[in-house]
Amino acid sequence: MTLHMRRILCAVAALLAASLFPLSEVQFAPARAQIFGGPDHARSAAAQGTKRPAPKRAAKPQAPPPVAESKLPPRIPFTAAEDAASIIPGIPEARFWADSETDYRNALPSKPGPWLILSSGGEDGAFGAGLLTGLTAGGKRPDYTVVTGVSTGSLMAPFAFAGPRYDEAMRKAYTEVTAADIFEAGQSTGESFVSSWPLRDLIAKQITPELFNDIAAEYHRDRRLFVVSYDLDAERAVVWNMGAIAAHGGDDALNLFRTVLLASASIPGAFPPVLIDVEANGKRFAEMHADGGIGGQFFVAPAALMATSSDYRVPATQLDIVVNTDLERDFKVVERFAPSILTQSVSAAVKVDTRLMLTLAQAVAKRSGIGFNVASIPPSFNAPSKGPFDPGYMKALFQVGYEQGRGDTAFSTEPPPYPREPKPPPSHVQKTGAN
């Protein structure tokens, strides 16, 4: 299966929101009744060909009231050329295309240092938050020159970048939230199955003006914080230079900073996409951005520079990659039901994608002559979950990450080995890893 096909699977499964909230039989009962002709369909089908007296006409059952569809305003049309040339008004240095080698090189700090790479993984980000906190407790946490984040990795990246003084805020963000803090079910927006206003408000509370200013100060120290979202219009990943945005200062920059974090964690179809205002040649329009995991589970460099045929050397002293996605196989007798099939398919595909990306990153580190370190959820972790963003589950995973970070083997110099057998039950709720 190609990377392109895996990304398509991720988007399709996200449309059904299978990674965030279980799609029960009850939720789909009305639709199934319509598809199969209602509860009497089986009985009437079995009786086909049997003559029966015509029944007396009875009052027709009232159809359920139509679901009101929210009418969204039309988007301003724009061309591919305009989108390619677009910038954030007033902050042209705010971002660059993830496949632009020149812009990528220009955005890097002037001096090499250790890099921290944070992957996608939804609530499994509790592992990465625990690991970083454990590194602090063990006195082994480097002052990372570059920090990159995708999806849930982007949500913890500002805390990680700003330093250990924000460890407690990061711990709370990954152990004290619930599903109600992330999304509101039953609130279809016309663009998604749920509303993400709770996550938007949570980000606004977590990204305080103080944290924003501290990130700006670290940017001026020649450090870089990169967060990835995906431009659905252009089918291109975008890297946001969050330190440059913070350094610009002001309410508009702070709002953009928060908006980018929301976009990077917005699974398409499950959460509404995020429209970001841009400008090209004097024309203003809005791009549609979604989860950064669509373009890859973590970010080190443009794909062309990561290729095995490239001779590019990463200007870092080491790569520390934190994999928040569970890479073990989760056995499940899959129900003959589209959401279940898609969930299991994408869960497997994301694990394959993550492992392939780790292989590429290891090759880049080797030819760059730098250290390659990977931290991942141990195969032994098997705590049950009551549902999406279960605080009990996240606290258990945070503690596992904390102990690993504080111990002597926080990182491995090799990617996690491929599992030989599926992880036995009980297992936590399956996820696509796209958020």
Side-chain angles (χ1 to χ4, degrees), residues 63-75:
V67 178
E69 294 185 3
S70 57
K71 292 186 178 180
L72 299 168
R75 298 181 63 199

Side-chain angles (χ1 to χ4, degrees), residues 27-267:
Q27 289 173 287
F28 278 81
R32 285 182 168 180
Q34 292 174 7
I35 293 171
F36 294 109
D40 292 330
H41 174 77
R43 290 195 293 273
S44 63
Q48 281 183 1
T50 303
K51 276 196 170 183
R52 291 189 179 182
K56 293 180 181 180
R57 289 190 177 182
K60 291 184 178 180
Q62 291 187 349
V67 178
E69 294 185 3
S70 57
K71 292 186 178 180
L72 299 168
R75 298 181 63 199
I76 297 174
F78 54 93
T79 66
E82 288 171 333
D83 197 27
S86 64
I87 61 170
I88 299 299
I91 318 179
E93 69 279 14
R95 65 183 198 166
F96 57 90
W97 295 107
D99 55 11
S100 173
E101 300 173 30
T102 300
D103 290 343
Y104 165 78
R105 293 174 192 264
N106 291 338
L108 294 177
S110 60
K111 297 179 181 179
W115 288 16
L116 175 65
I117 313 298
L118 302 170
S119 87
S120 64
E123 62 254 50
D124 282 354
F127 169 76
L131 183 98
L132 290 171
T133 305
L135 287 173
T136 300
K140 300 176 297 181
R141 182 165 161 183
D143 186 18
Y144 290 106
T145 302
V146 172
V147 176
T148 77
V150 172
S151 199
T152 197
S154 72
L155 298 181
M156 75 175 71
F159 301 119
F161 183 76
R165 62 177 295 202
Y166 286 96
D167 280 0
E168 178 61 14
M170 183 167 57
R171 183 195 66 78
K172 290 181 178 180
Y174 280 93
T175 61
E176 297 184 3
V177 300
T178 67
D181 297 308
I182 307 300
F183 61 86
E184 183 178 15
Q187 295 293 321
S188 174
T189 67
E191 296 175 313
S192 63
F193 283 97
V194 302
S195 173
S196 60
W197 70 261
L199 178 58
R200 179 199 65 206
D201 289 358
L202 180 63
I203 291 172
K205 292 176 183 177
Q206 292 177 340
I207 306 301
T208 63
E210 181 183 13
L211 173 57
F212 189 64
N213 292 334
D214 285 346
I215 290 171
E218 294 305 313
Y219 174 78
H220 288 305
R221 287 184 55 218
D222 201 21
R223 298 177 64 224
R224 296 294 179 264
L225 170 60
F226 297 143
V227 161
V228 182
S229 69
Y230 196 81
D231 183 342
L232 292 174
D233 299 308
E235 291 192 345
R236 295 174 77 182
V238 175
V239 179
W240 296 86
N241 193 337
M242 305 298 275
I245 295 172
H248 186 272
D251 290 341
D252 288 345
L254 176 58
N255 289 335
L256 175 63
F257 192 103
R258 293 166 172 168
T259 298
V260 168
L261 294 181
L262 178 62
S264 181
S266 293
I267 301 176

Side-chain angles (χ1 to χ4, degrees), residues 38 283 291 402:
K283 177 181 177 179
D291 195 290
Y402 177 84

